[in-house]
Amino acid sequence: VQLQASGGGLVQTGASLILSCVASGDIFTDYSVGWFRQAPGEEREFVSAISWRGSNRYYADSVKGRLSISRDNALNTVYLQLDSLKPEDTAVYYCAAARSSQNWVTFYQKSWVYTHWGQGTLVTVSS
C-alpha cells in the first residue's frame, strides 16, 4: 500500500488543521493506520492510531483531548484533526500502515510495527 499525507501548513497558536492520509495500491481495510511526528532534532514519536474498522482509536498522552483520528474506508483515507495547536506541535507528521493483527493491537505505538510510510507533511505552529 502507498500512502500520501497532506494538509500541513503554517498556522498560529490555537489554530486547527486537518491532516489527510490517502492510501492506494492495496485493500485499505486490511490495514490499521498510525500517525507519528518528528520535530527538528528529535526522535519520531507516536501521535495517534486507528484500527481498520475505526472502532479502536489511540492517542499519545501529550495530544489527548486536542487531536481526533478518523477514517473513511470508502475513500481510503485517514484523517487527523489537530485542534488548539501549540508551538511544540511543530513537526513533520507521518502516516503509516500496518496489517491489522494482534501484533498491532499490542504495539501500535511502536514505529517498527508499521510496514508502509507516507512522505510526511510539515506542520508549523507560530507563537
Side-chain angles (χ1 to χ4, degrees), residues 4-123:
Q4 180 77 33
S6 63
L10 172 62
V11 297
Q12 293 186 330
T13 297
S16 297
L17 280 175
I18 298 177
L19 307 184
S20 299
C21 177
V22 180
S24 61
D26 205 343
I27 301 172
F28 188 50
T29 51
D30 283 350
Y31 293 88
S32 298
V33 175
W35 284 94
F36 290 75
R37 67 185 182 185
Q38 187 167 18
E42 303 290 333
E43 294 187 354
R44 191 172 298 187
E45 64 173 355
F46 169 77
V47 174
S48 183
I50 189 167
S51 59
W52 72 271
R53 193 160 46 186
S55 52
N56 296 316
R57 309 180 190 201
Y58 306 100
Y59 302 95
D61 288 342
S62 60
V63 301
K64 201 170 290 184
R66 299 191 296 118
L67 269 61
S68 178
I69 191 170
S70 61
R71 67 189 291 164
D72 186 334
N73 287 336
L75 297 178
N76 287 355
T77 302
V78 171
Y79 303 98
L80 184 68
Q81 180 164 341
L82 316 173
D83 295 323
S84 303
L85 282 163
K86 306 175 182 180
E88 51 263 44
D89 294 319
T90 294
V92 177
Y93 284 71
Y94 298 90
C95 60
R99 286 198 175 271
S100 299
S101 65
Q102 186 58 45
N103 205 37
W104 178 83
V105 172
T106 304
F107 298 111
Y108 64 86
Q109 299 184 69
K110 303 298 185 181
S111 60
W112 56 260
V113 82
Y114 297 89
T115 52
H116 300 80
W117 291 80
Q119 86 290 358
T121 185
L122 177 62
V123 173

